[in-house]
Amino acid sequence: AQTVTQSQPEMSVQEAETVTLSCTYDTSESDYYLFWYKQPPSRQMILVIRQEAYKQQNATENRFSVNFQKAAKSFSLKISDSQLGDAAMYFCAYRMLTQGGSEKLVFGKGTKLTVNP
Amino acid sequence: SQTIHQWPATLVQPVGSPLSLECTVEGTSNPNLYWYRQAAGRGLQLLFYSIGIGQISSEVPQNLSASRPQDRQFILSSKKLLLSDSGFYLCAWSVGGGSNEQFFGPGTRLTVL
């Protein structure tokens, strides 16, 4: 079964510095998608970044980038130049296909990021 | 553009009472729809998903049920709430197939007393 593990329940970073959030997953599939979602205090889930497993190039979205290591089944998120607005819960998610013809996301338990001014 | 609505935003219900949470999506047709529950301090757990009207798949056995009476409407229900049903309920939608992300609604905070 596919599982997603986030080993850091909490992380903190100084404003303007860089932080890396870890995520590992377990799968027997060769083609899949991985996501990082952000959940600020408002509880709204917001997509941060997406990675297709067949792409060797790491995805980048402005200050957010990933280090995707397919063989190691690792998918870490790097936040550069951290801002106060980055403070949130961050969830790593794996997209898998269902037998019913849909797809579903399997989430890790999340990492709470605190940004210190 | 597509939007997703959930209501109510918060709900306090006694044990044993019924439940109905509603989710609607605008600006798209035939979306895949999902209900997730987020317990305090934990990640999201998929409860139900639907690929079309009247088509519901359940992920975990529980006290809840889901229905999809219209293409862009997804309802989460219970006949008798339990204390363990308390949590934050999120509805999401996606376009079927491909690398499509899921888009989440604002959520409903349910407290069962």
Side-chain angles (χ1 to χ4, degrees), chain A residues 37 39 43-44 95 103-104, chain B residues 59 94 98 102 104 109:
Chain A
Y37 279 86
Q39 188 180 41
R43 305 299 294 271
Q44 178 76 50
R95 172 186 171 271
E103 73 278 348
K104 68 176 185 179
Chain B
E59 282 293 298
S94 71
Q102 292 186 12
F104 287 82
R109 161 75 68 190

Side-chain angles (χ1 to χ4, degrees), chain A residues 33 35 37 39 42-47 50 52 89 91 95 98-110, chain B residues 32 34 36 38 41-44 46 49 51 59 88 90 94-106 109:
Chain A
Y33 299 89
F35 303 87
Y37 279 86
Q39 188 180 41
S42 67
R43 305 299 294 271
Q44 178 76 50
M45 292 288 284
I46 302 166
L47 180 70
R50 158 183 37 215
E52 292 94 331
M89 284 290 290
F91 293 97
R95 172 186 171 271
T98 69
Q99 291 182 341
S102 179
E103 73 278 348
K104 68 176 185 179
L105 295 178
V106 177
F107 286 86
K109 292 187 177 181
Chain B
N32 293 333
Y34 309 84
Y36 289 89
Q38 184 178 26
R42 302 190 64 178
L44 279 70
L46 180 65
Y49 67 90
I51 62 172
E59 282 293 298
F88 189 65
L90 285 158
S94 71
V95 177
S99 65
N100 301 294
E101 66 189 86
Q102 292 186 12
F103 300 91
F104 287 82
R109 161 75 68 190

